[in-house]
Amino acid sequence: MGWTSKTSSKNCSPAPPSASWHRMEKTPRFDSRNALSWVRSERSTPATLRRLRLDLLTVRGWCTLGAGALLMFFAYLFGRHELMALGISLIVLAAVSWGLALGLRGRTRIQRQVLSTVPSVGEVCRVRLSCAESATIQERLPESFGPGPKFEAPGGLDYELVFGTRGIHQLGPAQQIVSDSLGLIQGMVNTGETMDVPVRSELIDLHRFASLGEQMLTGDARHSLSTTADYYDVAIRDYQQGDSIRQVHWKASARQGKLMVRQENHVATAQALLILDTAFDHWCHSGVDLRLSIPAGAKEDLPSSRRFETALSLASSIGLCYASSGYQLSVRDLSGAPLISEHPQATSDVAAQSNFESFHAATAVLALSTGGTEMAASEIFGDGLHKELLGYRDEPVIMILGELTMIQARWLATLARTVRHAEIFILVAHPERYSDVHQELAGTGWKIHLIPATMGAEQMWGGA
């Protein structure tokens, strides 16, 4: 299922049959995580010239302008009209070539199409770039990818991207290489428009790790079902001693010639609650945390840290495990505010997958919160979340936290009387400093994980 740039609806005409489609033996792949795959070349052109687009002038173009200005100066000194005309002609020639090159900006019709579904971090995203006019086109990729692919139009090419961070990444505008027959102009001008590509958080296959994939979805936590029916499955069976007379299905009994009763089977969706700590101070509070900037398209970048990105990847991976097992996932922050728009009216399988997809899609733009709700120093959850936990006594609850003090751990341990099945992941810079916290929570019967901040999600379960 592919999707196309909104800005290229007028440019969707297919390339003519005679156009060459640039298909290489191996589709070029650009991986933003591999910083050694390309070398950044510093531009020697002054920034002022680039801003005015005077960098399009070649050495010959600058010499032509200089010669024209010099001839005009000599014409002024010696009063020679023919020198003045020649000088003006050289300047006009260079200026016209420069103006025609700038006039090509946005004129070339470019079509850009993402052939893959909405990608996640680490997944291969296939993109198609095409142009129906004669031109030399080079794609512009986000800076972390390096120089983009180049092709001769009419035609196009396919290329692959592997994103190293989540967010809204921008592709384009593409650049057209322009030149003139006199050699006065040589450079690239923007053509076409940008395209936003949302990239979701990374997914790790936790099913292959026994420490998480099996323990969470088996045993006591797996059997628990919501007490609210999604629907009732009605069936007809033979009458048995003890059945109420009100359950007799008289029409079916008349057809079968014996007493038949109506049986209503309660069909419910398994519920699970995922609590994700999104407080900025809990993830970016020490010098150990590697700060990151998450692209947000045309908006300002979102602040984050490597530790929070690991936590978000873990949350998405756990959510996928539960959704695949039929759990309808609710996602809350520490205040109890929902991080996704839920679909309580949907039936079980649809609701489970829909809620996870909503959460995973939201991770592309999920930002850390800088202002939290007012709560006591000993409490880590807001009143709204505290009340909601009352409805998850026999349901699995997963907590992913970035900071937990000893006094908060004692308060959290008191919830063991309310929540029976909980699994807590605490991602901290120095796990050895949290031995008391771990010991306090270990007495609850919950599963407690202290995870070092330097460990990625893949490494986290690699040794399980």
Side-chain angles (χ1 to χ4, degrees):
M1 175 177 168
W3 45 284
T4 311
S5 171
K6 296 180 180 178
T7 60
S8 62
S9 57
K10 64 178 181 179
N11 305 326
C12 295
S13 56
S18 59
S20 60
W21 193 267
H22 295 259
R23 294 191 183 274
M24 306 179 183
E25 293 183 0
K26 185 177 181 181
T27 303
R29 178 175 295 182
F30 301 85
D31 193 339
S32 65
R33 301 171 299 179
N34 186 5
L36 301 179
S37 61
W38 59 280
V39 178
R40 179 181 284 106
S41 58
E42 298 293 338
R43 293 188 179 184
S44 58
T45 309
T48 303
L49 295 183
R50 292 200 303 269
R51 186 167 57 253
L52 298 176
R53 295 319 318 264
L54 294 177
D55 59 327
L56 293 175
L57 291 169
T58 62
V59 174
R60 181 181 296 181
W62 283 110
C63 289
T64 302
L65 285 176
L70 188 62
L71 287 175
M72 291 178 63
F73 176 71
F74 285 145
Y76 175 76
L77 289 180
F78 302 115
R80 304 296 296 270
H81 297 288
E82 63 275 15
L83 291 180
M84 179 66 73
L86 181 58
I88 292 176
S89 298
L90 292 177
I91 293 176
V92 169
L93 179 63
V96 169
S97 297
W98 177 77
L100 289 176
L102 287 183
L104 293 175
R105 291 189 299 178
R107 298 290 183 86
T108 306
R109 295 178 296 171
I110 299 292
Q111 180 184 1
R112 184 184 293 104
Q113 184 180 14
V114 176
L115 304 178
S116 310
T117 56
V118 180
S120 300
V121 172
E123 293 181 351
V124 176
C125 175
R126 194 177 184 93
V127 183
R128 174 168 295 171
L129 185 69
S130 60
C131 178
E133 303 172 8
S134 297
T136 302
I137 303 296
Q138 181 171 10
E139 176 69 295
R140 174 179 286 179
L141 303 177
E143 185 178 3
S144 57
F145 286 94
K150 184 189 301 184
F151 71 97
E152 295 290 336
L157 60 78
D158 292 351
Y159 63 93
E160 296 175 343
L161 298 175
V162 180
F163 293 92
T165 58
R166 64 183 178 91
I168 306 296
H169 296 261
Q170 287 191 321
L171 301 181
Q175 295 183 308
Q176 179 179 351
I177 300 177
V178 296
S179 62
D180 66 332
S181 57
L182 300 177
L184 305 180
I185 300 296
Q186 177 72 43
M188 294 187 293
V189 295
N190 293 338
T191 185
E193 300 187 18
T194 60
M195 179 181 189
D196 289 341
V197 180
V199 180
R200 305 172 297 185
S201 61
E202 185 177 10
L203 286 175
I204 305 298
D205 184 11
L206 300 181
H207 282 102
R208 56 197 171 120
F209 303 129
S211 64
L212 187 67
E214 295 177 4
Q215 289 181 13
M216 287 196 312
L217 301 177
T218 57
D220 293 338
R222 185 64 186 93
H223 84 276
S224 57
L225 296 176
S226 170
T227 55
T228 302
D230 290 336
Y231 58 92
Y232 287 91
D233 183 20
V234 180
I236 306 299
R237 61 172 175 81
D238 292 342
Y239 175 84
Q240 297 177 0
Q241 187 176 1
D243 288 338
S244 172
I245 193 65
R246 288 178 297 179
Q247 293 180 265
V248 174
H249 195 292
W250 298 108
K251 290 184 179 180
S253 299
R255 289 195 301 268
Q256 297 293 333
K258 58 181 178 179
L259 281 179
M260 305 292 292
V261 296
R262 181 174 56 251
Q263 178 175 297
E264 295 180 347
N265 298 318
H266 172 193
V267 180
T269 303
Q271 304 286 330
L273 177 63
L274 174 62
I275 301 172
L276 178 61
D277 185 355
T278 59
F280 179 85
D281 294 340
H282 291 177
W283 300 103
C284 304
H285 74 288
S286 66
V288 179
D289 291 321
L290 177 62
R291 303 294 180 91
L292 299 176
S293 294
I294 304 302
K299 300 179 181 178
E300 186 178 356
D301 289 354
L302 305 176
S304 184
S305 69
R306 176 60 61 190
R307 194 157 54 97
F308 179 69
E309 295 305 308
T310 301
L312 194 56
S313 174
L314 178 61
S316 299
S317 303
I318 292 176
L320 178 59
C321 283
Y322 273 91
S324 300
S325 299
Y327 279 88
Q328 183 172 341
L329 190 68
S330 298
V331 187
R332 301 287 186 268
D333 61 12
L334 297 184
S335 67
L339 297 181
I340 58 174
S341 56
E342 300 173 356
H343 307 277
Q345 75 281 1
T347 58
S348 68
D349 291 341
V350 175
Q353 193 63 31
S354 178
N355 280 357
F356 169 72
E357 290 296 337
S358 296
F359 169 65
H360 198 205
T363 60
V365 293
L366 184 63
L368 292 173
S369 57
T370 54
T373 57
E374 294 293 333
M375 62 183 70
S378 62
E379 299 180 3
I380 191 172
F381 296 155
D383 291 338
L385 182 57
H386 195 186
K387 294 177 181 177
E388 186 164 1
L389 284 171
L390 298 176
Y392 285 85
R393 178 177 178 83
D394 295 316
E395 310 294 334
V397 176
I398 308 99
M399 309 177 196
I400 301 178
L401 309 176
E403 183 65 33
L404 192 66
T405 64
M406 187 60 187
I407 191 171
Q408 289 173 337
R410 292 194 184 101
W411 178 86
L412 189 59
T414 62
L415 297 181
R417 297 189 296 268
T418 303
V419 180
R420 294 176 53 194
H421 308 288
E423 189 152 8
I424 303 179
F425 300 86
I426 309 175
L427 285 76
V428 292
H430 302 283
E432 65 277 3
R433 300 178 183 177
Y434 288 78
S435 57
D436 292 341
V437 171
H438 186 279
Q439 185 176 0
E440 180 70 28
L441 293 176
T444 61
W446 297 340
K447 297 185 181 73
I448 312 299
H449 306 273
L450 283 177
I451 302 171
T454 56
M455 187 177 295
E458 186 72 38
Q459 298 171 316
M460 188 185 307
W461 306 110

